[in-house]
Amino acid sequence: MKKIWEKLDKKYVKVCAYASVSVILTIIFLGLLYSSGGFWVRLWSIFTAVLKPIVIGGIISYLLSPLVDRFEEVFDKKKTHKWARYLSILLSFLLILAFLALVIVIIVLTIYKNVSAINIDTMMGLGDLIQKDTEHLLDSVTALLESVGLSLNQFSSYIFQAVISVKDIVTNLFFGIIFSIYFMIDGRGIRNYWKRAFAIITGKKNEQRVEQFWHDADRIFSGYLRGQFVDATIVCLITGIVFLIVGVPEALLIALLVGIGNMIPYVGPIVGYCAVIIVCVPTGSYRELVAGLISLLIIMFVDGNVINPRLLSNNIKIHPLLVVAALIGGGALGGFVGMLVAVPVAAMIKLYFDRFLNKKEADDAK
């Protein structure tokens, strides 16, 4: 045994020993993870539950900070009084709430006006017919659900899950607003603290890299938001003018809703089509309905393939084809949220890829 040990290469024996220990430790670690799966699932759910409102708060803070800073400059140009910051945040939220309330009031008044224009006798007759045929209607709905592989119990569970999802969204939004207020009040202090912590842990060189990354991200995301805002304004104006020409009822309101919805990819067309149907069908404006739907289809086609890619490419310096490809890929990977961040993320990747190519080219030239 001693002779065999002496003939072995000690270097390779040591490597094999390290590799064996690593494999054994990895198997033990994976076994522990598997056996305690429930614990890690609960831990992950807690982590995501806390992270969601923080992310929402960060987004709200990022969007409102320019408005808050502008108000603060008006009240206190030297930014020496804390009350100016508090008042600026309060006014910014009140301004947003007033705008949302105005839009909701206009929508409610429009719906009320269109409902009042409906023939009451016809609606009463329709109500009596539905009341008489309730059992038949329920059977028809049940048969329809069964034809797509659903039962009434399954459909009810889906509705319940949708209600729970809405509750979660409202809860996350509420706590996100609270986080955003703290971020806007003490954002500089929070940023300086984590900047110092990161510099101590990773070193000064990495601190400069992170600082450069945040500078690039801020420039690209702010450019993306500017492009989306300008695009929404253009779509709102074009839709309003075209709808006034073709005679769509409540043309300006629908144009405003389409413009707001167009801030989010693919939401503007859905809002526009639903709004046109809601205002035209109850009043029997079928010619205007067809004209409005066709006009909106053309406007959205031109916007999605010409206006929006051009605006975004000008603001964040990427080719329109990459904008379209990023939206498709983001939607496929992350759904609705993926589409929201796809374009700026693609712009960030392209920026760092271009820097890599430039550095590589400069190194090869030496």
Side-chain angles (χ1 to χ4, degrees), residues 124-196:
M124 291 294 290
L126 182 61
D128 293 337
L129 182 62
I130 292 175
Q131 188 175 3
K132 292 177 182 177
D133 250 356
T134 302
E135 187 176 347
H136 177 68
L137 180 64
L138 184 61
D139 293 339
S140 300
V141 171
T142 304
L144 179 63
L145 291 174
E146 290 177 351
S147 67
V148 295
L150 292 175
S151 65
L152 279 177
N153 289 334
Q154 289 176 319
F155 183 72
S156 301
S157 67
Y158 290 145
I159 296 296
F160 180 75
Q161 290 173 4
V163 172
I164 295 296
S165 300
V166 171
K167 180 190 74 69
D168 292 340
I169 291 172
V170 173
T171 304
N172 289 331
L173 182 60
F174 174 75
F175 286 107
I177 291 173
I178 294 176
F179 275 113
S180 71
I181 293 172
Y182 280 104
F183 289 155
M184 286 185 284
I185 289 175
D186 199 24
R188 298 183 187 95
I190 295 172
R191 182 174 179 272
N192 291 334
Y193 174 83
W194 285 107
K195 181 180 177 182
R196 173 175 169 270

Side-chain angles (χ1 to χ4, degrees), residues 272-330:
Y273 298 140
C274 293
V276 171
I277 293 171
I278 289 172
V279 301
C280 289
V281 171
T283 57
S285 305
Y286 299 114
R287 186 186 67 82
E288 290 79 5
L289 171 66
V290 175
L293 292 177
I294 294 175
S295 301
L296 191 60
L297 180 65
I298 296 172
I299 292 170
M300 288 302 164
F301 178 81
V302 174
D303 174 64
N305 293 277
V306 180
I307 300 175
N308 188 272
R310 286 288 178 184
L311 282 172
L312 293 182
S313 64
N314 290 335
N315 278 280
I316 55 180
K317 308 301 180 186
I318 60 174
H319 197 276
L321 287 177
L322 183 57
V323 174
V324 177
L327 288 174
I328 296 172

Side-chain angles (χ1 to χ4, degrees), residues 348-366:
M348 287 287 293
I349 294 173
K350 181 181 180 298
L351 174 65
Y352 280 88
F353 182 68
D354 288 342
R355 286 180 181 171
F356 169 77
L357 292 179
N358 293 334
K359 186 176 182 301
K360 189 73 174 173
E361 190 176 37
D363 292 340
D364 292 341
K366 291 179 181 180

Side-chain angles (χ1 to χ4, degrees), residues 95 97 127 130 140 187 201 214 224 226 248 287 291 294 296 336 352:
L95 187 63
L97 288 174
I130 292 175
S140 300
I201 296 171
W214 284 116
Y224 174 73
R226 282 197 303 271
V248 176
R287 186 186 67 82
I294 294 175
L296 191 60
F336 179 73
Y352 280 88

Side-chain angles (χ1 to χ4, degrees), residues 66-99:
L67 183 61
V68 172
D69 292 339
R70 185 62 59 88
F71 278 136
E72 190 177 12
E73 288 177 3
V74 173
F75 298 132
D76 183 18
K77 292 185 178 180
K78 295 182 179 180
K79 298 184 179 180
T80 56
H81 298 95
K82 200 89 172 180
W83 62 265
R85 189 70 178 176
Y86 296 148
L87 182 59
S88 301
I89 294 171
L90 177 62
L91 287 177
S92 299
F93 274 106
L94 288 177
L95 187 63
I96 299 298
L97 288 174
F99 175 76

